[in-house]
Amino acid sequence: MKSDRQKPAIPWILIGLFFVIAVTSVILGILYYRNHKKQLFEDQLNELSVIADLKVRQIVEWRRERLADGSLISTNLPLIRLFNSYFEEQNDVTLRSEVIQTLRSLIVNSDYKNVLLIDTASNVLVSFPDRDTLVGDHLRPMITELAGNPEIVLTDIHQTSKVSFVHLDLLIPIISRTAVDTSLSGFLAFRIDPTDLLYPSIQTWPLPSKTAESLLIREEGDSVYYFNEPKFRRNTEVVIKASKGAGDLASAMAVRGIESTLDGIDYRGKRVIAAMKKVPESTWHLVAKIDRDEVLAELNDQITLIIIIIILFILTTGLFLGIIEWNESVRFYRSRYEAELDHLALVKHFDYILKYANDIIYLTDRKLNIIEANDRATEACQLSRDDLIGASVTRIVAPGYVESMLGETRLIGEKGFATYETMLLRNDGSVFPVEISAREVEIEGVKYYQSICRDITERKNSEETLRESEERFRKIFEESPFGIAMTSKDLTILRANTALCRMTGYSEEELRSYTFRDFTHPGYIKNDEISLMKLVAEEIPIYHTEKRYIRKDRSIIWGSTT
């Protein structure tokens, strides 16, 4: 027998959704990788720039300290006099020994390699220690130049065939100052080995890294000269022959004035991230760099984890969509079952609440249709249960109060609850006042409005009776032919009627700042105070007296007071 049941339709929507989610996940993963890579490179470049600035400041400070040493020595008059004396008496053995001891004291515990005493003809007269004592081709023309304009000079890093190590010279002019003459006698030349202090301070890296290093370089023609020993080339010095326009070479970019690169190359040909800074007051440049591969190593580990997460997410999404499709066939039965559960839950809930309730209680849906009500509601509104259930709540609200009730309902949607007074309508057309406490409730995932209405007819009647009583008292107080006053506990007058004002001659406003003693004859005040204290202490039930009063015009009248 041929079945009439249709086969389930191919879930093209779910398949399309799965495809979109999978593609979107891959695209987001790629975008995350690119963005994170860019951010990682920028953070690394900022870090290199900070380190390069730090190194440049160290170099500048080191240079200034050397020049400060020169300035201090040049202004030391005893030293200058000693050296001038030796220039004049070079054959004096005792004087020579004193000069050697002085030179020795100047370089002990310092980063100066040796010190030379040189005359204006570039001849070394005395040195300590007695090695590398010749004046090279770099220093000789500088001495000749400074002879005409003497000043303290720190030379560039250099090496000559006459000196065994790469060095700098600190040249200090020795000037003879006498009463009749000021002339240049010679120079002190302090030789500085940069490998002792300068290079180590440059090569020290503040953070753990396998490939990061800083290099001090100088442009020499079309070449770039590396002063300190590169980390991955164990030579004392390395000269890279390259044009200043040589592509992505970080050192060549530095001498061209470029301050940073995210994709340069170093002396090994490795791709690097580098920050380049010019050292002020010198021909030097500093390059702080790190291999891109080291920076990307951490990112590559994260990418592996991201790929795994994306694959798991796609598989989980596919499983979830498969479960949705599998559940589609039983959705109708589930909805019927849940509807029955909702009904049973509502019945159970209201059976418990309504069983002993004396107030009107009803439950409405979001459209304000009554879906459940207790017996008190049908009794008070004079409607059968069939007429009440399913009807709009506006049917039992008195005309003129519907709009205000709808406004309160909107307030319930915003705050979750509301308390207000309104008038309900009976089937016979009569109305009665109620106080409604309404609240939004959720039952089995569905939102309803639960309202509890209390008949406040008796309270309204009591309030009316109270208003009538207060009105009668007001008329008695104001229209009485006898003077009446209301006082506080300290007997200050709070209110006074017209009769009392006529009797005393004061206006009510004036009497409000008085007590009875202010217009009572002095002969009665003491007895009044004692009796009033007994009255306040409830020792006597009532106090009555006849006494004289002083009117505003100072005339005397007699009065009876209770």
Side-chain angles (χ1 to χ4, degrees):
M1 208 175 148
K2 192 174 180 179
S3 175
D4 295 331
R5 177 180 295 180
Q6 296 181 350
K7 293 182 180 180
I10 298 176
W12 292 113
I13 295 178
L14 294 181
I15 293 174
L17 180 61
F18 175 75
F19 178 77
V20 170
I21 291 176
V23 172
T24 302
S25 300
V26 173
I27 292 174
L28 289 177
I30 294 173
L31 292 177
Y32 172 81
Y33 172 78
R34 290 180 177 176
N35 182 69
H36 193 56
K37 177 181 176 181
K38 178 182 177 182
Q39 186 63 45
L40 191 63
F41 279 2
E42 289 178 354
D43 291 344
Q44 186 62 59
L45 185 59
N46 290 335
E47 180 181 295
L48 290 172
S49 180
V50 171
I51 292 174
D53 286 334
L54 174 64
K55 297 294 183 183
V56 168
R57 285 197 297 268
Q58 289 177 340
I59 294 171
V60 171
E61 185 65 26
W62 180 85
R63 288 175 57 86
R64 289 175 178 172
E65 287 176 358
R66 303 289 78 74
L67 293 173
D69 290 346
S71 178
L72 184 63
I73 292 172
S74 68
T75 56
N76 190 320
L77 295 180
L79 282 179
I80 299 301
R81 283 196 293 268
L82 174 63
F83 295 143
N84 282 324
S85 297
Y86 184 73
F87 282 129
E88 295 172 358
E89 301 179 23
Q90 297 181 17
N91 296 324
D92 189 329
V93 177
T94 302
L95 189 59
R96 177 182 177 85
S97 176
E98 185 179 353
V99 169
I100 292 173
Q101 289 299 321
T102 301
L103 296 181
R104 180 179 183 277
S105 66
L106 290 176
I107 66 172
V108 171
N109 298 324
S110 71
D111 60 340
Y112 298 115
K113 197 76 172 180
N114 60 350
V115 57
L116 312 176
L117 183 62
I118 306 171
D119 63 15
T120 54
S122 301
N123 299 313
V124 178
L125 304 181
V126 182
S127 66
F128 184 87
D130 193 16
R131 62 175 183 271
D132 295 313
T133 60
L134 299 178
V135 176
D137 296 334
H138 183 84
L139 190 59
R140 188 178 299 277
M142 188 171 294
I143 290 175
T144 303
E145 181 181 348
L146 290 176
N149 184 24
E151 61 177 339
I152 301 170
V153 173
L154 181 65
T155 68
D156 206 340
I157 299 174
H158 63 279
Q159 183 176 18
T160 65
S161 59
K162 297 181 179 182
V163 181
S164 63
F165 59 95
V166 175
H167 65 281
L168 301 85
D169 290 312
L170 175 63
L171 276 178
I172 306 171
I174 299 174
I175 300 174
S176 174
R177 292 181 174 87
T178 64
V180 296
D181 185 28
T182 299
S183 61
L184 179 68
S185 301
F187 295 90
L188 274 178
F190 288 86
R191 283 181 173 161
I192 305 168
D193 187 350
T195 61
D196 289 342
L197 182 61
L198 179 60
Y199 290 172
S201 67
I202 294 172
Q203 292 169 320
T204 302
W205 198 260
L207 300 171
S209 173
K210 295 180 180 179
T211 63
E213 62 177 324
S214 52
L215 301 167
L216 189 63
I217 65 173
R218 179 180 66 201
E219 176 188 3
E220 291 188 356
D222 288 336
S223 301
V224 177
Y225 185 85
Y226 283 61
F227 290 123
N228 59 304
E229 183 179 71
K231 190 172 187 177
F232 298 99
R233 191 170 294 183
R234 299 300 181 183
N235 298 323
T236 302
E237 58 183 3
V238 178
V239 177
I240 298 178
K241 297 291 183 180
S243 171
K244 288 197 299 184
D248 298 332
L249 184 66
S251 56
M253 295 169 72
V255 299
R256 294 202 306 269
I258 299 173
E259 293 193 346
S260 65
T261 178
L262 291 173
D263 193 21
I265 59 174
D266 67 356
Y267 54 87
R268 302 167 296 159
K270 294 283 188 180
R271 289 289 173 185
V272 296
I273 301 172
M276 295 80 79
K277 301 291 181 181
K278 177 75 169 63
V279 178
E281 304 171 4
S282 74
T283 61
W284 305 341
H285 297 266
L286 188 129
V287 179
K289 67 178 187 64
I290 187 171
D291 286 6
R292 282 170 60 98
D293 291 341
E294 180 179 349
V295 178
L296 289 174
E298 178 183 353
L299 181 61
N300 291 335
D301 293 339
Q302 295 180 2
I303 286 303
T304 301
L305 179 61
I306 291 172
I307 292 174
I308 293 174
I309 292 174
I310 290 175
I311 292 174
L312 290 177
F313 176 73
I314 292 174
L315 293 176
T316 302
T317 302
L319 178 62
F320 176 73
L321 295 178
I323 293 174
I324 292 176
E325 172 59 21
W326 181 79
N327 287 334
E328 188 67 24
S329 60
V330 296
R331 180 175 296 177
F332 173 75
Y333 301 102
R334 182 181 297 276
S335 63
R336 290 288 301 272
Y337 175 70
E338 290 178 351
E340 186 64 24
L341 283 181
D342 288 345
H343 179 71
L344 292 175
L346 289 173
V347 171
K348 182 177 179 180
H349 178 71
F350 276 95
D351 281 349
Y352 181 79
I353 294 177
L354 306 179
K355 186 173 182 180
Y356 300 106
N358 291 322
D359 293 329
I360 299 170
I361 302 176
Y362 57 83
L363 193 69
T364 62
D365 59 17
R366 304 292 289 184
K367 296 181 180 180
L368 299 183
N369 294 321
I370 299 173
I371 61 173
E372 188 59 76
N374 65 349
D375 294 340
R376 178 66 181 135
T378 59
E379 177 185 342
C381 296
Q382 300 176 351
L383 293 171
S384 66
R385 183 174 180 81
D386 292 339
D387 291 335
L388 191 59
I389 302 302
S392 173
V393 74
T394 57
R395 179 175 178 180
I396 62 173
V397 178
Y401 291 86
V402 173
E403 288 300 324
S404 63
M405 186 274 295
L406 294 177
E408 294 293 343
T409 303
R410 286 191 292 271
L411 183 62
I412 298 172
E414 297 173 2
K415 297 176 59 178
F417 65 92
T419 301
Y420 59 97
E421 294 182 3
T422 189
M423 301 291 288
L424 293 188
L425 179 66
R426 295 189 180 94
N427 194 37
D428 61 6
S430 61
V431 298
F432 60 99
V434 293
E435 181 183 69
I436 298 179
S437 176
R439 181 174 294 275
E440 187 178 69
V441 296
E442 185 173 328
I443 303 174
E444 298 294 334
V446 182
K447 292 184 177 179
Y448 300 94
Y449 296 129
Q450 176 183 281
S451 299
I452 301 176
C453 310
R454 177 159 296 176
D455 189 339
I456 57 173
T457 301
E458 293 185 1
R459 192 180 79 187
K460 291 293 184 181
N461 292 337
S462 298
E463 290 174 356
E464 182 62 28
T465 301
L466 179 60
R467 282 195 296 271
E468 292 175 355
S469 177
E470 290 176 346
E471 180 63 22
R472 287 194 298 270
F473 173 77
R474 186 187 63 80
K475 288 184 177 182
I476 293 173
F477 181 83
E478 294 178 353
E479 299 176 6
S480 173
F482 301 105
I484 302 175
M486 296 176 61
T487 67
S488 61
K489 289 184 178 181
D490 61 357
L491 301 180
T492 300
I493 296 174
L494 301 177
R495 289 191 62 187
N497 69 350
T498 304
L500 183 61
C501 292
R502 286 197 305 268
M503 172 181 165
T504 60
Y506 293 99
S507 66
E508 184 179 7
E509 187 66 27
E510 292 172 324
L511 288 174
R512 284 178 182 170
S513 61
Y514 290 169
T515 63
F516 272 98
R517 66 177 294 161
D518 293 322
F519 49 86
T520 297
H521 193 278
Y524 300 90
I525 291 177
K526 184 176 181 181
N527 185 57
D528 277 355
E529 289 180 345
I530 294 173
S531 299
L532 288 173
M533 289 174 63
K534 290 182 179 181
L535 182 65
V536 172
E538 298 182 356
E539 295 181 7
I540 57 176
I542 191 169
Y543 171 56
H544 175 77
T545 182
E546 291 183 357
K547 59 182 180 179
R548 288 180 293 173
Y549 290 98
I550 303 174
R551 286 172 50 83
K552 183 178 181 179
D553 59 6
R554 313 310 297 171
S555 61
I556 305 298
I557 61 171
W558 280 89
S560 175
T561 301
T562 301

